Amino acid sequence: MERGTVVQCHADRMSGILLMGVGGGKRRYYFEQAAAQKGISVSFLDWGELLASEGEGESKPGHGEEGALAWEKAWSGEGAPSRKDLRRWVVKIDPPEWESSRLSQLEELTGRYGEWLRRLSRLPGGNFLNHPLDIEEVLDKRRCKERLAREGVSVTKMYGESFSCGEELLAFMRDRRIGQVFVKPVTGAGAAGVSALRFSPKTGRIVLYTCGILEGEEIFNTKRMFRLEGKEGAAFLDSLLKLDCAVERWYGKAVFGEYSYDLRVIVQGGRIDYILPRLSKGPITNLHLNNHSMEFGDLRLDQGTMEGIRELCFKAAACYPGLKSIGMDVLLEKRSLRPRIIEMNAQGDLLHRDVYGENRIYGRQIDIMAEMLKNLPD
Amino acid sequence: MLGLEKAAAANGKMGKSKTYCNDYEDYEEGKNAKTLVEDILNDPELPQLEELIIGGWGEEFDESCQPIIDGIAENADKFSHITKIFFGDMDYETCEVSWITQGDYSSLWKAMPQLKDLTIKGSNDLSLGVIEHENLESLTIICGGLGKDVIEEIAKAKLPNLKKLLLYIGIEDYGFDGNADTIRALLADSDFPSLIYLGITDSEIQDELTEVVLESKYIRQITALDLSNGSLTDKGGKLLLEKLPELPNIEILDVHHHYLSNEMMEELQKLSITVNLAEQEKPYEWNGERWYSAMLTE
């Protein structure tokens, strides 16, 4: 966008780009930097203030109008929008900061966050980079994958059954001759609680790779990978399955050198803005686990594979027209390099390799939001 | 790449190689080790191959590769041109090394008299039987723990042309039920007159094994010494510094994946031989103790 056509955001006009996020975080800093480079200012609302005000008095999650009081209270700063004039704003919703690493609490926090997203969707206006109801749906790995599968998008297979304890899951694996699966809390962010399980029906031996640790009956998320065998693995699995978990097939990932990798693909406004290969020496690939990343071009994938990735991502993005910025985790099957969506993230746009470089992803978001702002009805 | 492989590659002697494996979908369709050997036998390219690489055969964690070994032995004439075989070339996502179910290779020695190079990955249920082979030049076993019984089979082997012996020793939890004396006995009892590459690697008693190797009869015979992927510390490094200058036959020392100090690395670098010092590791500290791990165990 040309500088001259930029829609300026002034408090007195009570319109502009609004970021809901976490004060002092990288997401805010690089988003605002991208905006500043284009001569656009960004208003900011801190999730911390919003969530803190929620506990005061009558404003409880689940009560639309009452919840709105917390909303106005948190947004009461000078020049800040109120719910009454939100229609003049284009809003980007970043995730709040999760203060707990306890998985059961993360489930609860995600539920509370989901309530806020629903509340946001009910407010007048509704000019969102990513619509809150779609953000909420995508946060639920099961719902998101079910929608993708319904629409014929190639995804990593999720088993329909649910399991309340390790023995149930192992019996299922024994019956189906399945040797290895992923177990994922459906509402977990990132790799929280994600575990790769291998099971030998003949010997009963199990091994579990996870970045969680079990203390008592509670699982805590860490940034380290652990390998658990025998009773230790079984106890972890039992505790994990007390949460709402999806069980998925474990596919062998494509290999580059001595690493396996998958791709984080950023699709924004009908375009692929970034593809980041994430390398790992273990079955779980996640940038929070200090895995490596590399330039996509260095993979030297053939044209057919590149086209396959492109088509898959556009098809997946088309399932969520309300999301103008999506981070997709794409697995390339070992040998065939057939792409499959592992999961999607409506807030998976922070890639260090990008923000420390061109800051292309946030720059593009600013362009999209400025365009939306320009097209708002008077 | 060190030693024999490098030489072979440089001379352009690498023949046509093909990998055969069953992936997860093949496995779901009912394919297994038995069908894999049928696929190999029915492959029109088989007569042109020099090397066979056998990847996963399906359910490797429960099912042995025995049908493949047997299938080759039963159809020996169809494999008479194959000089190189790798059984079990798979990464942890297919099956981690400590879960691979291997087989009994007794029948292979007679069935493949032309075989020069054999690599085996995994040591569960592994047996080499009575090894007697005129032409085998290279034997590599990659595993997380090599059983004493297999080590003893190697010690008794009649391999007059064996040039390269590379063993991943591994740890007790995953099958190594011996100690430094087991390796001492292997090196004392075996008779490999052509050996030029000795690899005693991937051990958590790498310092002790360094001493054993340096005291063995092969140390004045070999040109390449491989002590890589283990827990080598300055204790073992010091032994190497003391002994290697007296051993002009040794041209290559591979100790990559080690716990040597910077000072010791500098000293070893000064030796007038090729030294691979890549992958300097740091011990894992926990509860005031330091843990030194081998590269491949699980």
Side-chain angles (χ1 to χ4, degrees):
Chain A
M1 169 176 284
E2 295 296 316
R3 196 179 171 85
T5 63
V6 158
V7 181
Q8 293 289 335
C9 170
H10 298 295
D12 56 350
R13 289 184 57 182
M14 301 296 281
S15 69
I17 289 177
L18 174 74
L19 175 67
M20 293 181 66
V22 177
K26 285 196 183 92
R27 288 174 183 273
R28 179 187 179 183
Y29 177 81
Y30 288 104
F31 183 79
E32 288 181 345
Q33 198 180 62
Q37 275 173 358
K38 294 172 186 286
I40 297 178
S41 61
V42 172
S43 292
F44 180 72
L45 174 72
D46 198 321
W47 268 116
E49 288 176 37
L50 194 59
L51 295 173
S53 67
E54 181 189 69
E56 294 170 16
E58 70 284 10
S59 54
K60 298 274 191 303
H63 299 78
E65 282 304 304
E66 291 169 354
L69 294 173
W71 170 267
E72 287 193 347
K73 191 165 182 166
W75 282 18
S76 59
E78 193 185 343
S82 77
R83 66 189 172 102
K84 287 173 188 162
D85 61 8
L86 186 63
R87 60 180 65 89
R88 296 292 313 149
W89 297 79
V90 176
V91 184
K92 180 188 176 193
I93 306 167
D94 273 348
E97 195 165 35
W98 307 120
E99 282 172 3
S100 176
S101 61
R102 183 184 302 208
L103 285 194
S104 59
Q105 206 168 0
L106 282 177
E107 202 173 49
E108 185 190 316
L109 286 169
T110 309
R112 196 171 147 208
Y113 175 46
E115 176 54 40
W116 269 103
L117 290 171
R118 287 193 290 279
R119 187 178 296 161
L120 279 171
S121 75
R122 292 194 292 267
L123 288 168
N127 303 296
F128 297 100
L129 176 70
N130 283 347
H131 195 277
L133 287 182
D134 287 327
I135 295 175
E136 195 212 355
E137 178 167 319
V138 168
L139 270 174
D140 184 322
K141 291 172 183 169
R142 184 182 289 128
R143 281 172 67 201
C144 175
K145 194 159 264 184
E146 280 170 355
R147 187 194 289 209
L148 293 176
R150 266 198 315 273
E151 299 297 327
V153 177
S154 175
V155 295
T156 51
K157 183 178 171 182
M158 186 173 66
Y159 300 108
E161 292 77 358
S162 59
F163 310 95
S164 62
C165 66
E167 200 39 60
E168 271 180 30
L169 174 56
L170 298 182
F172 169 80
M173 291 172 74
R174 195 180 290 117
D175 291 347
R176 299 281 193 94
R177 293 176 60 242
I178 297 169
Q180 52 187 42
V181 295
F182 270 99
V183 185
K184 300 175 174 180
V186 293
T187 54
V194 173
S195 301
L197 169 69
R198 182 169 277 143
F199 170 55
S200 160
K202 196 178 262 184
T203 62
R205 191 178 167 195
I206 69 164
V207 63
L208 207 112
Y209 301 88
T210 180
C211 51
I213 51 167
L214 184 63
E215 286 185 11
E217 291 196 349
E218 282 281 359
I219 295 175
F220 291 82
N221 193 38
T222 76
K223 291 187 176 179
R224 265 196 64 194
M225 277 298 297
F226 297 93
R227 182 182 182 280
L228 309 173
E229 285 190 273
K231 284 181 185 166
E232 221 184 345
F236 187 95
L237 189 59
D238 276 339
S239 292
L240 182 62
L241 288 170
K242 281 182 187 151
L243 304 170
D244 186 11
C245 285
V247 176
E248 294 186 0
R249 178 171 151 178
W250 173 353
Y251 296 78
K253 293 193 190 89
V255 172
F256 182 81
E258 50 190 6
Y259 295 93
S260 54
Y261 69 88
D262 62 19
L263 306 172
R264 167 60 63 90
V265 183
I266 307 290
V267 184
Q268 303 191 117
R271 212 165 84 184
I272 291 178
D273 280 334
Y274 211 99
I275 304 183
L276 184 74
R278 308 179 304 176
L279 284 71
S280 112
K281 282 194 171 179
I284 299 176
T285 318
N286 187 283
L287 296 174
H288 292 128
L289 294 170
N290 297 320
N291 289 144
H292 305 286
S293 61
M294 64 182 283
E295 291 295 331
F296 177 63
D298 292 342
L299 288 176
R300 299 189 180 281
L301 296 176
D302 63 83
Q303 205 51 44
T305 303
M306 306 253 277
E307 195 47 43
I309 295 167
R310 214 176 103 84
E311 275 178 25
L312 174 72
C313 292
F314 286 154
K315 199 170 175 183
C319 297
Y320 286 94
L323 300 178
K324 293 177 191 71
S325 170
I326 318 175
M328 301 181 187
D329 293 344
V330 176
L331 173 138
L332 299 181
E333 280 186 51
K334 188 179 286 186
R335 292 201 302 150
S336 70
L337 301 185
R338 179 182 171 190
R340 291 176 184 273
I341 301 284
I342 305 170
E343 57 189 59
M344 304 216 307
N345 188 335
Q347 293 163 322
D349 56 3
L350 176 67
L351 299 185
H352 289 174
R353 197 175 261 267
D354 179 45
V355 294
Y356 297 150
E358 292 178 62
N359 205 7
R360 197 194 309 164
I361 298 166
Y362 288 148
R364 183 87 203 296
Q365 287 179 3
I366 296 294
D367 288 346
I368 293 169
M369 294 174 82
E371 194 63 28
M372 288 169 74
L373 199 54
K374 204 166 71 175
N375 293 327
L376 288 181
D378 290 329
Chain B
M1 193 159 57
L2 281 172
L4 299 175
E5 290 136 329
K6 190 175 181 179
N11 293 337
K13 285 181 185 169
M14 296 293 220
K16 198 174 170 193
S17 170
K18 189 163 179 181
T19 300
Y20 296 88
C21 61
N22 287 333
D23 61 21
Y24 203 94
E25 278 176 8
D26 296 327
Y27 160 66
E28 281 187 328
E29 287 164 13
K31 293 203 164 191
N32 53 33
K34 209 170 174 182
T35 62
L36 189 65
V37 78
E38 284 161 12
D39 291 344
I40 299 172
L41 282 163
N42 293 329
D43 184 356
E45 280 187 52
L46 179 60
Q48 282 88 52
L49 300 180
E50 195 170 301
E51 178 182 27
L52 291 185
I53 299 174
I54 313 292
W57 43 87
E59 242 176 357
E60 307 79 10
F61 45 86
D62 269 352
E63 300 299 332
S64 151
C65 61
Q66 196 62 47
I68 304 171
I69 301 169
D70 293 345
I72 291 174
E74 285 158 16
N75 297 278
D77 56 318
K78 302 247 173 63
F79 294 93
S80 61
H81 56 294
I82 300 294
T83 57
K84 202 172 175 184
I85 300 194
F86 187 160
F87 280 92
D89 184 14
M90 61 190 100
D91 64 13
Y92 62 87
E93 277 206 299
T94 304
C95 187
E96 54 183 7
V97 69
S98 67
W99 283 56
I100 299 172
T101 314
Q102 268 295 338
D104 179 353
Y105 286 77
S106 306
S107 58
L108 203 73
W109 311 115
K110 274 191 184 156
M112 300 189 80
Q114 76 296 340
L115 190 67
K116 289 187 174 171
D117 192 317
L118 173 64
T119 299
I120 295 168
K121 189 168 182 182
S123 59
N124 292 336
D125 296 348
L126 174 64
S127 172
L128 298 177
V130 178
I131 309 168
E132 200 171 341
H133 201 285
E134 281 294 319
N135 295 312
L136 194 77
E137 294 180 359
S138 176
L139 175 63
T140 299
I141 301 178
I142 302 165
C143 64
L146 192 57
K148 215 169 153 180
D149 49 350
V150 177
I151 295 172
E152 285 166 0
E153 287 170 339
I154 297 170
K156 290 177 193 157
K158 289 183 182 155
L159 297 170
N161 277 305
L162 189 74
K163 292 177 179 151
K164 176 179 175 181
L165 177 65
L166 172 54
L167 302 178
Y168 283 53
I169 303 301
I171 63 170
E172 191 181 350
D173 285 354
Y174 298 104
F176 176 54
D177 51 355
N179 54 32
D181 287 337
T182 314
I183 305 304
R184 198 186 311 278
L186 163 71
L187 300 181
D189 299 344
S190 60
D191 180 18
F192 304 131
S194 305
L195 197 73
I196 54 170
Y197 184 121
L198 177 59
I200 300 294
T201 68
D202 193 50
S203 170
E204 291 191 351
I205 53 167
Q206 199 71 51
D207 287 335
E208 281 181 71
L209 296 188
T210 299
E211 187 175 3
V212 168
V213 170
L214 288 171
E215 287 170 355
S216 78
K217 65 186 175 206
Y218 295 111
I219 201 65
R220 293 196 177 274
Q221 175 184 325
I222 57 174
T223 57
L225 174 58
D226 186 349
L227 300 166
S228 63
N229 290 323
S231 60
L232 189 74
T233 68
D234 282 2
K235 192 178 166 195
K238 191 163 171 275
L239 293 172
L240 289 167
L241 269 184
E242 283 166 10
K243 282 275 189 178
L244 289 180
E246 301 165 14
L247 299 165
N249 52 302
I250 293 185
E251 297 164 10
I252 296 167
L253 171 67
D254 187 353
V255 292
H256 78 270
H257 186 287
H258 59 81
Y259 294 85
L260 300 168
S261 65
N262 291 341
E263 295 74 26
M264 183 56 73
M265 286 171 68
E266 274 176 36
E267 290 302 312
L268 286 168
Q269 206 68 270
K270 288 178 193 164
L271 293 170
S272 55
I273 59 173
T274 304
V275 184
N276 183 352
L277 286 160
E279 297 175 47
Q280 182 188 27
E281 303 291 320
K282 286 191 177 145
Y284 174 60
E285 294 192 31
W286 193 68
N287 266 357
E289 278 193 78
R290 289 181 166 196
W291 299 81
Y292 301 81
S293 333
M295 187 275 293
L296 185 70
T297 55
E298 295 159 352

